[in-house]
Amino acid sequence: MSEHKKIAVFGGGSWATAIVKMLTENLDTVGWYMRNEQAIEHIKKNFHNPKYLRSAELKASQLDLSSDINKMITNYDVLIFAIPSAFLTQELEKATISLTNKIVFSAIKGIVPETGLIVGEHFHQEYNIPFQNIGVITGPCHAEEVAMERLSYLTVACQNEQNAKDMAKALESWYINVKTSDDIIGTEYAAMLKNIYAIAAGIAHGLGYGDNFQSVLMSNAIREMKRFIKKVHKMKRNINNSAYLGDLLVTGYSTFSRNRQFGNMIGKGYTVKSAQIEMSMIAEGYYATKSAYKIQQEKGGKTPIIQAVYNILYDDKDPKKEFKKLTVKLD
Amino acid sequence: MSEHKKIAVFGGGSWATAIVKMLTENLDTVGWYMRNEQAIEHIKKNFHNPKYLRSAELKASQLDLSSDINKMITNYDVLIFAIPSAFLTQELEKATISLTNKIVFSAIKGIVPETGLIVGEHFHQEYNIPFQNIGVITGPCHAEEVAMERLSYLTVACQNEQNAKDMAKALESWYINVKTSDDIIGTEYAAMLKNIYAIAAGIAHGLGYGDNFQSVLMSNAIREMKRFIKKVHKMKRNINNSAYLGDLLVTGYSTFSRNRQFGNMIGKGYTVKSAQIEMSMIAEGYYATKSAYKIQQEKGGKTPIIQAVYNILYDDKDPKKEFKKLTVKLD
């Protein structure tokens, strides 16, 4: 990836909008695919996304907006996907152009439900993209604070160091610091697992546990995350780096996190179905839980928090009793 | 220390009150020294501390309350000190009875200003108490949640395993889980350092930094804490255990933390002096900062957060500029 490669963002949500905003600080032209044509027209006229991250002012003259996914894949070299994992497959089914020679970055935090894979592995397996050309863009980063231009730190991970550095350069600005990493598997799993722990934090809150317990839960969560990721992809990594611990904290301690809200409703007595209907969406951690549970079953290891969340979400266990059992496993 | 040794708590504040409450769940008699005689009378009559942690209902019939420190030292074998570090020396000056043969537990989070030592080292050096008979009781634990009987986890550290186990047993109940450790130096330094990081979190908040930055700050703080403690006392420890990371999080993310409030005022433009007057007290992290800075100067190592807080509190540096400089050192 050279600096002259053209970059496009795929997705119309908050995080996609935040990434577009960051890129326009550096690039003359940023491609932006979204399926909603009315939103495109609105952005061109009003300089902000009508539905998501409305507070972010966008430099519309630098944007190459289109709802034609094939045109965007053809015209761009580096594709950043920021589509919720639950909708990734249906969006990519529209693509008739091969992705094999593209550089693909995932800014998706979750598991692709159809394959049960993290996004990087999904692109590698389903679209024959070599790992050298697959990267991850990860937080800790609420899109809302990017809109407000509040100092935020990202991690860009890619096995190909130059690809990581080029993407870092494209994203960096006075309010964005970017660190590079070669741990694409670990950073993606961290981004996925943290949503499960945010659900756990929400359940605990909903059940009436306090701040003392939350800090113990998070302290156990980061140790569990370390063990889990080590089983999946063993390499030297500091789990307390921002991409792992920071990302866990910004989500686990955020009352805005949808995963935490979802957990909170479960803790307060909503059924999984009614919480999902009430939120009119499915929290990404819901899929992540099933997938992490399956991986844990295969690879082994002690993951009591994932186990408790799985039992509650998929095995209809009583949250109060499950958490009571969990508390004696934490320390 | 056997189970039959008699335990007394020294101190009249929130944390002392919380520890007394925990002990009365298990022990028939708990000694409780506090200097304020009116408070003692109030507790005997009304079953709660009039000034601190009023919401905690106390089993007054199990309490042996006294304002005579010498009587209490004489009558008890195990002394738990929960007096703010700034007042420890003046309280102990009243004691004419030797402490040498006592088992002393510190529930104090901070540095003794007169000696610049953590409390365990202070008792060892100033009162000739062997390290085997010195222990630490540490969080993560807001006293307020103990009053509400919300599930909380403590760590009791002592080089003498039996002393640690006996104290754990005395504190444990249906809402208190206790873990033991042999790392008295590390847990005490963690409890002290977290107050500096809470000040840093407060300054950042006061300056307008958001949640994204806070998570990066905490992620850097735990790595800095690990390096610092390793320099002071090298041993095998998992810095992500509750006594270290959990304690950092419960303080750093708490808006009730006095250290965080102090930092917040500094970030908003108060001088150190005016923030201290406004709060009518000196946050423990203020002394901790000076002491940690001195230790860092002697031992070396990279501690940019402590350095920044020191520069602001003791070297009259502008918080905005110091944090600007700090942000490029974090990742």
Side-chain angles (χ1 to χ4, degrees), chain B residues 142-182:
Chain B
H142 291 307
E144 290 72 16
E145 293 197 348
V146 174
M148 297 159 76
E149 301 183 356
R150 279 183 153 179
L151 183 64
S152 303
Y153 292 64
L154 298 178
T155 294
V156 169
C158 188
Q159 283 174 7
N160 180 320
E161 201 185 336
Q162 196 56 47
N163 282 348
K165 280 186 179 168
D166 290 342
M167 181 54 77
K169 212 173 161 188
L171 291 166
E172 250 158 8
S173 65
W174 69 270
Y175 58 91
I176 301 291
N177 284 358
V178 186
K179 180 175 184 162
T180 58
S181 156
D182 60 351

mmCIF file of all heavy atoms in Angstrom, chain B residues 142-182:
data_model
loop_
_atom_site.group_PDB
_atom_site.id
_atom_site.type_symbol
_atom_site.label_atom_id
_atom_site.label_comp_id
_atom_site.label_asym_id
_atom_site.label_seq_id
_atom_site.Cartn_x
_atom_site.Cartn_y
_atom_site.Cartn_z
ATOM 1 N N HIS B 142 -15.172 0.952 47.458
ATOM 2 C CA HIS B 142 -15.736 2.167 48.045
ATOM 3 C C HIS B 142 -16.444 1.780 49.330
ATOM 4 O O HIS B 142 -17.289 0.879 49.328
ATOM 5 C CB HIS B 142 -16.785 2.795 47.123
ATOM 6 C CG HIS B 142 -16.225 3.387 45.885
ATOM 7 N ND1 HIS B 142 -15.210 4.303 45.894
ATOM 8 C CD2 HIS B 142 -16.547 3.206 44.588
ATOM 9 C CE1 HIS B 142 -14.931 4.653 44.663
ATOM 10 N NE2 HIS B 142 -15.716 3.998 43.847
ATOM 11 N N ALA B 143 -16.145 2.492 50.412
ATOM 12 C CA ALA B 143 -16.796 2.226 51.697
ATOM 13 C C ALA B 143 -18.322 2.323 51.568
ATOM 14 O O ALA B 143 -19.059 1.537 52.177
ATOM 15 C CB ALA B 143 -16.293 3.225 52.737
ATOM 16 N N GLU B 144 -18.784 3.250 50.755
ATOM 17 C CA GLU B 144 -20.230 3.480 50.614
ATOM 18 C C GLU B 144 -20.953 2.203 50.187
ATOM 19 O O GLU B 144 -22.079 1.945 50.589
ATOM 20 C CB GLU B 144 -20.490 4.586 49.572
ATOM 21 C CG GLU B 144 -20.067 5.985 50.022
ATOM 22 C CD GLU B 144 -18.559 6.191 50.078
ATOM 23 O OE1 GLU B 144 -17.806 5.383 49.488
ATOM 24 O OE2 GLU B 144 -18.111 7.148 50.746
ATOM 25 N N GLU B 145 -20.317 1.413 49.329
ATOM 26 C CA GLU B 145 -20.975 0.193 48.863
ATOM 27 C C GLU B 145 -20.928 -0.921 49.910
ATOM 28 O O GLU B 145 -21.764 -1.814 49.887
ATOM 29 C CB GLU B 145 -20.371 -0.259 47.527
ATOM 30 C CG GLU B 145 -20.685 0.740 46.425
ATOM 31 C CD GLU B 145 -20.476 0.182 45.030
ATOM 32 O OE1 GLU B 145 -19.880 -0.898 44.882
ATOM 33 O OE2 GLU B 145 -20.920 0.839 44.072
ATOM 34 N N VAL B 146 -19.944 -0.857 50.801
ATOM 35 C CA VAL B 146 -19.934 -1.798 51.929
ATOM 36 C C VAL B 146 -21.134 -1.483 52.829
ATOM 37 O O VAL B 146 -21.847 -2.377 53.285
ATOM 38 C CB VAL B 146 -18.621 -1.695 52.731
ATOM 39 C CG1 VAL B 146 -18.675 -2.561 53.988
ATOM 40 C CG2 VAL B 146 -17.439 -2.099 51.857
ATOM 41 N N ALA B 147 -21.365 -0.195 53.054
ATOM 42 C CA ALA B 147 -22.517 0.212 53.867
ATOM 43 C C ALA B 147 -23.810 -0.340 53.278
ATOM 44 O O ALA B 147 -24.710 -0.760 54.003
ATOM 45 C CB ALA B 147 -22.581 1.737 53.951
ATOM 46 N N MET B 148 -23.892 -0.355 51.956
ATOM 47 C CA MET B 148 -25.096 -0.850 51.275
ATOM 48 C C MET B 148 -25.097 -2.370 51.121
ATOM 49 O O MET B 148 -25.998 -2.930 50.502
ATOM 50 C CB MET B 148 -25.200 -0.203 49.894
ATOM 51 C CG MET B 148 -25.377 1.310 49.924
ATOM 52 S SD MET B 148 -24.886 2.041 48.333
ATOM 53 C CE MET B 148 -26.321 1.606 47.347
ATOM 54 N N GLU B 149 -24.051 -3.006 51.637
ATOM 55 C CA GLU B 149 -23.901 -4.465 51.531
ATOM 56 C C GLU B 149 -23.927 -4.937 50.079
ATOM 57 O O GLU B 149 -24.539 -5.956 49.739
ATOM 58 C CB GLU B 149 -24.947 -5.178 52.402
ATOM 59 C CG GLU B 149 -24.790 -4.765 53.870
ATOM 60 C CD GLU B 149 -25.737 -5.467 54.842
ATOM 61 O OE1 GLU B 149 -26.586 -6.233 54.397
ATOM 62 O OE2 GLU B 149 -25.593 -5.221 56.061
ATOM 63 N N ARG B 150 -23.270 -4.167 49.235
ATOM 64 C CA ARG B 150 -23.120 -4.579 47.836
ATOM 65 C C ARG B 150 -21.837 -5.392 47.712
ATOM 66 O O ARG B 150 -20.804 -5.012 48.257
ATOM 67 C CB ARG B 150 -23.032 -3.350 46.932
ATOM 68 C CG ARG B 150 -24.387 -2.767 46.632
ATOM 69 C CD ARG B 150 -24.240 -1.608 45.687
ATOM 70 N NE ARG B 150 -25.453 -1.420 44.901
ATOM 71 C CZ ARG B 150 -25.611 -0.465 44.004
ATOM 72 N NH1 ARG B 150 -24.638 0.374 43.739
ATOM 73 N NH2 ARG B 150 -26.738 -0.363 43.330
ATOM 74 N N LEU B 151 -21.909 -6.451 46.959
ATOM 75 C CA LEU B 151 -20.784 -7.382 46.850
ATOM 76 C C LEU B 151 -19.473 -6.665 46.507
ATOM 77 O O LEU B 151 -19.382 -5.963 45.504
ATOM 78 C CB LEU B 151 -21.076 -8.436 45.779
ATOM 79 C CG LEU B 151 -19.995 -9.506 45.617
ATOM 80 C CD1 LEU B 151 -19.860 -10.342 46.874
ATOM 81 C CD2 LEU B 151 -20.288 -10.392 44.417
ATOM 82 N N SER B 152 -18.471 -6.853 47.350
ATOM 83 C CA SER B 152 -17.167 -6.213 47.159
ATOM 84 C C SER B 152 -16.067 -7.226 47.430
ATOM 85 O O SER B 152 -16.269 -8.192 48.160
ATOM 86 C CB SER B 152 -17.020 -5.030 48.126
ATOM 87 O OG SER B 152 -18.074 -4.102 47.936
ATOM 88 N N TYR B 153 -14.919 -6.981 46.811
ATOM 89 C CA TYR B 153 -13.782 -7.886 46.924
ATOM 90 C C TYR B 153 -12.612 -7.141 47.548
ATOM 91 O O TYR B 153 -12.259 -6.053 47.101
ATOM 92 C CB TYR B 153 -13.378 -8.401 45.536
ATOM 93 C CG TYR B 153 -14.391 -9.320 44.887
ATOM 94 C CD1 TYR B 153 -15.651 -8.851 44.544
ATOM 95 C CD2 TYR B 153 -14.089 -10.652 44.618
ATOM 96 C CE1 TYR B 153 -16.596 -9.690 43.935
ATOM 97 C CE2 TYR B 153 -15.015 -11.501 44.001
ATOM 98 C CZ TYR B 153 -16.272 -11.007 43.661
ATOM 99 O OH TYR B 153 -17.200 -11.823 43.077
ATOM 100 N N LEU B 154 -12.036 -7.729 48.563
ATOM 101 C CA LEU B 154 -10.846 -7.148 49.173
ATOM 102 C C LEU B 154 -9.655 -8.057 48.940
ATOM 103 O O LEU B 154 -9.814 -9.258 48.682
ATOM 104 C CB LEU B 154 -11.035 -7.006 50.685
ATOM 105 C CG LEU B 154 -12.156 -6.094 51.185
ATOM 106 C CD1 LEU B 154 -12.203 -6.129 52.712
ATOM 107 C CD2 LEU B 154 -11.922 -4.670 50.703
ATOM 108 N N THR B 155 -8.470 -7.488 49.047
ATOM 109 C CA THR B 155 -7.256 -8.301 49.109
ATOM 110 C C THR B 155 -6.554 -8.020 50.430
ATOM 111 O O THR B 155 -6.390 -6.864 50.814
ATOM 112 C CB THR B 155 -6.326 -7.998 47.918
ATOM 113 O OG1 THR B 155 -6.969 -8.431 46.715
ATOM 114 C CG2 THR B 155 -4.993 -8.726 48.052
ATOM 115 N N VAL B 156 -6.205 -9.082 51.128
ATOM 116 C CA VAL B 156 -5.435 -8.958 52.363
ATOM 117 C C VAL B 156 -4.047 -9.504 52.071
ATOM 118 O O VAL B 156 -3.896 -10.659 51.680
ATOM 119 C CB VAL B 156 -6.090 -9.756 53.507
ATOM 120 C CG1 VAL B 156 -5.152 -9.839 54.704
ATOM 121 C CG2 VAL B 156 -7.411 -9.120 53.917
ATOM 122 N N ALA B 157 -3.038 -8.648 52.248
ATOM 123 C CA ALA B 157 -1.672 -9.067 51.944
ATOM 124 C C ALA B 157 -0.834 -9.116 53.211
ATOM 125 O O ALA B 157 -0.899 -8.211 54.048
ATOM 126 C CB ALA B 157 -1.040 -8.104 50.937
ATOM 127 N N CYS B 158 -0.095 -10.196 53.363
ATOM 128 C CA CYS B 158 0.854 -10.310 54.476
ATOM 129 C C CYS B 158 1.881 -11.371 54.095
ATOM 130 O O CYS B 158 1.537 -12.372 53.459
ATOM 131 C CB CYS B 158 0.129 -10.707 55.770
ATOM 132 S SG CYS B 158 1.198 -10.656 57.235
ATOM 133 N N GLN B 159 3.134 -11.138 54.449
ATOM 134 C CA GLN B 159 4.150 -12.154 54.144
ATOM 135 C C GLN B 159 3.881 -13.429 54.922
ATOM 136 O O GLN B 159 4.160 -14.522 54.462
ATOM 137 C CB GLN B 159 5.550 -11.610 54.456
ATOM 138 C CG GLN B 159 6.049 -10.655 53.377
ATOM 139 C CD GLN B 159 7.370 -9.994 53.739
ATOM 140 O OE1 GLN B 159 7.992 -10.339 54.735
ATOM 141 N NE2 GLN B 159 7.795 -9.041 52.923
ATOM 142 N N ASN B 160 3.323 -13.288 56.132
ATOM 143 C CA ASN B 160 2.930 -14.437 56.935
ATOM 144 C C ASN B 160 1.548 -14.887 56.474
ATOM 145 O O ASN B 160 0.538 -14.205 56.691
ATOM 146 C CB ASN B 160 2.906 -14.034 58.417
ATOM 147 C CG ASN B 160 2.504 -15.190 59.317
ATOM 148 O OD1 ASN B 160 1.621 -15.966 58.994
ATOM 149 N ND2 ASN B 160 3.170 -15.296 60.454
ATOM 150 N N GLU B 161 1.515 -16.056 55.842
ATOM 151 C CA GLU B 161 0.288 -16.511 55.187
ATOM 152 C C GLU B 161 -0.853 -16.694 56.188
ATOM 153 O O GLU B 161 -2.013 -16.390 55.885
ATOM 154 C CB GLU B 161 0.576 -17.836 54.466
ATOM 155 C CG GLU B 161 -0.412 -18.150 53.373
ATOM 156 C CD GLU B 161 -0.161 -19.531 52.761
ATOM 157 O OE1 GLU B 161 0.982 -20.018 52.853
ATOM 158 O OE2 GLU B 161 -1.116 -20.112 52.226
ATOM 159 N N GLN B 162 -0.499 -17.191 57.392
ATOM 160 C CA GLN B 162 -1.542 -17.441 58.387
ATOM 161 C C GLN B 162 -2.198 -16.138 58.840
ATOM 162 O O GLN B 162 -3.419 -16.061 58.985
ATOM 163 C CB GLN B 162 -0.958 -18.202 59.594
ATOM 164 C CG GLN B 162 -2.030 -18.836 60.473
ATOM 165 C CD GLN B 162 -2.948 -19.782 59.693
ATOM 166 O OE1 GLN B 162 -2.481 -20.613 58.921
ATOM 167 N NE2 GLN B 162 -4.261 -19.628 59.851
ATOM 168 N N ASN B 163 -1.368 -15.102 59.032
ATOM 169 C CA ASN B 163 -1.924 -13.792 59.391
ATOM 170 C C ASN B 163 -2.909 -13.307 58.328
ATOM 171 O O ASN B 163 -3.969 -12.771 58.643
ATOM 172 C CB ASN B 163 -0.798 -12.755 59.535
ATOM 173 C CG ASN B 163 -0.045 -12.889 60.859
ATOM 174 O OD1 ASN B 163 -0.496 -13.600 61.752
ATOM 175 N ND2 ASN B 163 1.085 -12.207 60.966
ATOM 176 N N ALA B 164 -2.520 -13.490 57.063
ATOM 177 C CA ALA B 164 -3.393 -13.058 55.959
ATOM 178 C C ALA B 164 -4.698 -13.848 55.975
ATOM 179 O O ALA B 164 -5.790 -13.286 55.853
ATOM 180 C CB ALA B 164 -2.666 -13.227 54.622
ATOM 181 N N LYS B 165 -4.592 -15.159 56.142
ATOM 182 C CA LYS B 165 -5.783 -16.011 56.123
ATOM 183 C C LYS B 165 -6.720 -15.686 57.272
ATOM 184 O O LYS B 165 -7.940 -15.664 57.109
ATOM 185 C CB LYS B 165 -5.373 -17.485 56.202
ATOM 186 C CG LYS B 165 -4.914 -18.036 54.858
ATOM 187 C CD LYS B 165 -4.654 -19.528 54.947
ATOM 188 C CE LYS B 165 -4.227 -20.093 53.597
ATOM 189 N NZ LYS B 165 -3.694 -21.457 53.730
ATOM 190 N N ASP B 166 -6.151 -15.461 58.462
ATOM 191 C CA ASP B 166 -6.993 -15.155 59.621
ATOM 192 C C ASP B 166 -7.737 -13.832 59.424
ATOM 193 O O ASP B 166 -8.917 -13.720 59.759
ATOM 194 C CB ASP B 166 -6.144 -15.092 60.898
ATOM 195 C CG ASP B 166 -5.638 -16.473 61.311
ATOM 196 O OD1 ASP B 166 -6.200 -17.477 60.830
ATOM 197 O OD2 ASP B 166 -4.672 -16.538 62.091
ATOM 198 N N MET B 167 -7.021 -12.858 58.898
ATOM 199 C CA MET B 167 -7.688 -11.567 58.657
ATOM 200 C C MET B 167 -8.764 -11.723 57.588
ATOM 201 O O MET B 167 -9.852 -11.153 57.704
ATOM 202 C CB MET B 167 -6.652 -10.506 58.255
ATOM 203 C CG MET B 167 -7.231 -9.123 58.004
ATOM 204 S SD MET B 167 -8.219 -8.458 59.382
ATOM 205 C CE MET B 167 -6.905 -7.940 60.506
ATOM 206 N N ALA B 168 -8.462 -12.490 56.541
ATOM 207 C CA ALA B 168 -9.459 -12.731 55.493
ATOM 208 C C ALA B 168 -10.728 -13.315 56.091
ATOM 209 O O ALA B 168 -11.841 -12.880 55.800
ATOM 210 C CB ALA B 168 -8.888 -13.667 54.425
ATOM 211 N N LYS B 169 -10.547 -14.296 56.974
ATOM 212 C CA LYS B 169 -11.688 -14.962 57.597
ATOM 213 C C LYS B 169 -12.510 -13.995 58.449
ATOM 214 O O LYS B 169 -13.741 -14.086 58.512
ATOM 215 C CB LYS B 169 -11.168 -16.115 58.473
ATOM 216 C CG LYS B 169 -12.126 -17.278 58.522
ATOM 217 C CD LYS B 169 -11.538 -18.475 59.240
ATOM 218 C CE LYS B 169 -12.669 -19.398 59.666
ATOM 219 N NZ LYS B 169 -12.216 -20.477 60.527
ATOM 220 N N ALA B 170 -11.808 -13.054 59.097
ATOM 221 C CA ALA B 170 -12.507 -12.086 59.945
ATOM 222 C C ALA B 170 -13.324 -11.090 59.112
ATOM 223 O O ALA B 170 -14.308 -10.531 59.595
ATOM 224 C CB ALA B 170 -11.502 -11.347 60.826
ATOM 225 N N LEU B 171 -12.910 -10.873 57.873
ATOM 226 C CA LEU B 171 -13.569 -9.855 57.038
ATOM 227 C C LEU B 171 -14.648 -10.433 56.118
ATOM 228 O O LEU B 171 -15.577 -9.737 55.718
ATOM 229 C CB LEU B 171 -12.526 -9.121 56.183
ATOM 230 C CG LEU B 171 -11.548 -8.208 56.931
ATOM 231 C CD1 LEU B 171 -10.377 -7.831 56.025
ATOM 232 C CD2 LEU B 171 -12.242 -6.948 57.436
ATOM 233 N N GLU B 172 -14.500 -11.700 55.770
ATOM 234 C CA GLU B 172 -15.391 -12.304 54.776
ATOM 235 C C GLU B 172 -16.841 -12.409 55.244
ATOM 236 O O GLU B 172 -17.106 -12.729 56.401
ATOM 237 C CB GLU B 172 -14.907 -13.728 54.454
ATOM 238 C CG GLU B 172 -14.340 -13.862 53.073
ATOM 239 C CD GLU B 172 -13.408 -15.057 52.948
ATOM 240 O OE1 GLU B 172 -13.330 -15.860 53.913
ATOM 241 O OE2 GLU B 172 -12.749 -15.163 51.928
ATOM 242 N N SER B 173 -17.764 -12.181 54.336
ATOM 243 C CA SER B 173 -19.178 -12.386 54.668
ATOM 244 C C SER B 173 -19.945 -12.563 53.366
ATOM 245 O O SER B 173 -19.338 -12.648 52.291
ATOM 246 C CB SER B 173 -19.719 -11.184 55.445
ATOM 247 O OG SER B 173 -19.700 -10.037 54.617
ATOM 248 N N TRP B 174 -21.260 -12.574 53.450
ATOM 249 C CA TRP B 174 -22.025 -12.818 52.224
ATOM 250 C C TRP B 174 -21.854 -11.708 51.203
ATOM 251 O O TRP B 174 -22.089 -11.898 50.023
ATOM 252 C CB TRP B 174 -23.504 -13.079 52.551
ATOM 253 C CG TRP B 174 -24.242 -11.867 53.071
ATOM 254 C CD1 TRP B 174 -24.365 -11.478 54.357
ATOM 255 C CD2 TRP B 174 -24.945 -10.906 52.285
ATOM 256 N NE1 TRP B 174 -25.101 -10.317 54.452
ATOM 257 C CE2 TRP B 174 -25.477 -9.944 53.198
ATOM 258 C CE3 TRP B 174 -25.179 -10.743 50.916
ATOM 259 C CZ2 TRP B 174 -26.220 -8.852 52.766
ATOM 260 C CZ3 TRP B 174 -25.922 -9.649 50.495
ATOM 261 C CH2 TRP B 174 -26.439 -8.713 51.417
ATOM 262 N N TYR B 175 -21.418 -10.529 51.640
ATOM 263 C CA TYR B 175 -21.197 -9.452 50.658
ATOM 264 C C TYR B 175 -19.728 -9.050 50.528
ATOM 265 O O TYR B 175 -19.413 -8.103 49.804
ATOM 266 C CB TYR B 175 -22.084 -8.231 50.967
ATOM 267 C CG TYR B 175 -21.871 -7.633 52.345
ATOM 268 C CD1 TYR B 175 -20.946 -6.618 52.549
ATOM 269 C CD2 TYR B 175 -22.592 -8.087 53.439
ATOM 270 C CE1 TYR B 175 -20.747 -6.071 53.808
ATOM 271 C CE2 TYR B 175 -22.405 -7.554 54.705
ATOM 272 C CZ TYR B 175 -21.485 -6.548 54.888
ATOM 273 O OH TYR B 175 -21.289 -6.024 56.137
ATOM 274 N N ILE B 176 -18.842 -9.775 51.216
ATOM 275 C CA ILE B 176 -17.408 -9.467 51.111
ATOM 276 C C ILE B 176 -16.627 -10.740 50.736
ATOM 277 O O ILE B 176 -16.655 -11.726 51.470
ATOM 278 C CB ILE B 176 -16.844 -8.906 52.439
ATOM 279 C CG1 ILE B 176 -17.578 -7.620 52.868
ATOM 280 C CG2 ILE B 176 -15.330 -8.663 52.332
ATOM 281 C CD1 ILE B 176 -17.317 -6.410 51.999
ATOM 282 N N ASN B 177 -15.957 -10.700 49.593
ATOM 283 C CA ASN B 177 -15.027 -11.767 49.207
ATOM 284 C C ASN B 177 -13.605 -11.285 49.470
ATOM 285 O O ASN B 177 -13.287 -10.140 49.153
ATOM 286 C CB ASN B 177 -15.152 -12.092 47.711
ATOM 287 C CG ASN B 177 -16.392 -12.900 47.400
ATOM 288 O OD1 ASN B 177 -17.147 -13.260 48.304
ATOM 289 N ND2 ASN B 177 -16.605 -13.176 46.126
ATOM 290 N N VAL B 178 -12.781 -12.135 50.017
ATOM 291 C CA VAL B 178 -11.408 -11.707 50.302
ATOM 292 C C VAL B 178 -10.404 -12.661 49.672
ATOM 293 O O VAL B 178 -10.543 -13.883 49.766
ATOM 294 C CB VAL B 178 -11.134 -11.630 51.826
ATOM 295 C CG1 VAL B 178 -9.751 -11.038 52.090
ATOM 296 C CG2 VAL B 178 -12.195 -10.791 52.526
ATOM 297 N N LYS B 179 -9.423 -12.086 49.024
ATOM 298 C CA LYS B 179 -8.320 -12.840 48.437
ATOM 299 C C LYS B 179 -7.073 -12.537 49.257
ATOM 300 O O LYS B 179 -6.920 -11.420 49.747
ATOM 301 C CB LYS B 179 -8.150 -12.336 46.994
ATOM 302 C CG LYS B 179 -7.062 -12.994 46.199
ATOM 303 C CD LYS B 179 -7.085 -12.481 44.764
ATOM 304 C CE LYS B 179 -6.053 -13.217 43.935
ATOM 305 N NZ LYS B 179 -6.315 -13.067 42.487
ATOM 306 N N THR B 180 -6.188 -13.514 49.433
ATOM 307 C CA THR B 180 -4.953 -13.224 50.157
ATOM 308 C C THR B 180 -3.782 -13.123 49.176
ATOM 309 O O THR B 180 -3.839 -13.635 48.050
ATOM 310 C CB THR B 180 -4.640 -14.308 51.216
ATOM 311 O OG1 THR B 180 -4.545 -15.561 50.549
ATOM 312 C CG2 THR B 180 -5.717 -14.368 52.279
ATOM 313 N N SER B 181 -2.753 -12.453 49.623
ATOM 314 C CA SER B 181 -1.574 -12.202 48.782
ATOM 315 C C SER B 181 -0.368 -12.054 49.693
ATOM 316 O O SER B 181 -0.504 -11.772 50.890
ATOM 317 C CB SER B 181 -1.805 -10.904 47.993
ATOM 318 O OG SER B 181 -0.584 -10.308 47.602
ATOM 319 N N ASP B 182 0.826 -12.281 49.157
ATOM 320 C CA ASP B 182 2.024 -12.038 49.973
ATOM 321 C C ASP B 182 2.763 -10.782 49.529
ATOM 322 O O ASP B 182 3.871 -10.516 49.980
ATOM 323 C CB ASP B 182 2.959 -13.259 49.937
ATOM 324 C CG ASP B 182 3.430 -13.573 48.525
ATOM 325 O OD1 ASP B 182 2.898 -12.961 47.569
ATOM 326 O OD2 ASP B 182 4.312 -14.433 48.381
#
